C-alpha cells in the first residue's frame, strides 16, 4: 500500500468513542434502575469499554503512522527536518519523564512506609510514564531518524 490514509483511523477513533459512550449510558441506565450507582462494572460495560479502547488505539496508531510517514510514500532516502523546536520538545518531555519517574518512586516508598496507595493512582502514574515515553519515541522518529522507502517490483519468489 503506497498511500497512508486517515479515513479508517478516523472511523476507528469515532467508533471507539461511541462504544465508550454506550458503556457510560449503560452505567447510567443501570444506576437509574437500581436507584444508586453500582460499585462494579457490568459485563456489558466491560466489553464495550474494551472494544472501545481497541478501536481507539487502532485509530491513534493510524494517525501517528500518517504523521510520521506522510500521506504518500515516496521511494528514496528522506532527511529529517531537524531544527531547534524538536530539541526543546525532547528536552521538555525528558524532564517530564524524570519528574514522573521520581513521583512514581516516591509513591512506592510512601506505600512501603505509610501503607498502600490506591491502585488506580499507581496505574494512572504508570500510564502517564508510558505515554510520555511513547511521545518521546514518536518525536525522535519524526525529527531525528533518517527514513528510507524501498520499492520492490510486484513479481517476487513467492509462488502465489
Amino acid at each position: 500500500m503506497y498511500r497512508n490514509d486517515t479515513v479508517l483511523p478516523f472511523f476507528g477513533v469515532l467508533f471507539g468513542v461511541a462504544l465508550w459512550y454506550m458503556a457510560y449510558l449503560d452505567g447510567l441506565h443501570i444506576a437509574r434502575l437500581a436507584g444508586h450507582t453500582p460499585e462494579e462494572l457490568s459485563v456489558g460495560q466491560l466489553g464495550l469499554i474494551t472494544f472501545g479502547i481497541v478501536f481507539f488505539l487502532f485509530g491513534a496508531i493510524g494517525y501517528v503512522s500518517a504523521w510520521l510517514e506522510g500521506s504518500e510514500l515516496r521511494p528514496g532516502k528522506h532527511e529529517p527536518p531537524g531544527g531547534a523546536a524538536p530539541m526543546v520538545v525532547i528536552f521538555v518531555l525528558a524532564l517530564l519523564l524524570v519528574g514522573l519517574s521520581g513521583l512514581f518512586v516516591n509513591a512506592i516508598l510512601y506505600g512501603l512506609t505509610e501503607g498502600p496507595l490506591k491502585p488506580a493512582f499507581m496505574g494512572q502514574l504508570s500510564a502517564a510514564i508510558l505515554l510520555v515515553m511513547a511521545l518521546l519515541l514518536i518525536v525522535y522518529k519524526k525529527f531525528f531518524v533518517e527514513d528510507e522507502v524501498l520499492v520492490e517490483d510486484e513479481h517476487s519468489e513467492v509462488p502465489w
Side-chain angles (χ1 to χ4, degrees), residues 6-142:
T6 57
V7 174
L8 283 176
F10 171 75
F11 284 109
V13 168
L14 184 69
F15 196 55
V17 170
L19 287 174
W20 176 84
Y21 190 63
M22 286 170 54
Y24 173 72
L25 290 179
D26 186 43
L28 289 179
H29 179 70
I30 291 172
R32 194 176 316 116
L33 290 177
H36 62 86
T37 304
E39 293 183 17
E40 64 276 341
L41 296 172
S42 70
V43 174
Q45 286 175 304
L46 287 174
L48 290 172
I49 291 170
T50 303
F51 282 108
I53 289 172
V54 167
F55 281 112
F56 187 82
L57 285 177
F58 168 75
I61 289 170
Y63 277 125
V64 168
S65 175
W67 183 67
L68 286 177
E69 298 168 354
S71 63
E72 186 172 332
L73 299 177
R74 301 187 188 277
K77 286 190 175 190
H78 305 285
E79 295 291 326
M87 296 282 286
V88 171
V89 170
I90 290 282
F91 182 71
V92 168
L93 286 174
L95 285 178
L96 182 62
L97 183 63
V98 168
L100 287 172
S101 300
L103 182 61
F104 186 75
V105 169
N106 279 340
I108 289 175
L109 293 176
Y110 180 83
L112 290 175
T113 58
E114 302 294 324
L117 291 172
K118 290 190 176 188
F121 173 72
M122 296 300 284
Q124 290 170 355
L125 194 54
S126 300
I129 289 171
L130 291 174
L131 181 65
V132 170
M133 285 173 55
L135 289 175
L136 266 169
L137 289 173
I138 289 170
V139 171
Y140 178 75
K141 166 77 171 82
K142 175 71 174 176

Side-chain angles (χ1 to χ4, degrees), residues 156-160:
S156 64
E157 298 177 11
V158 180
W160 56 84

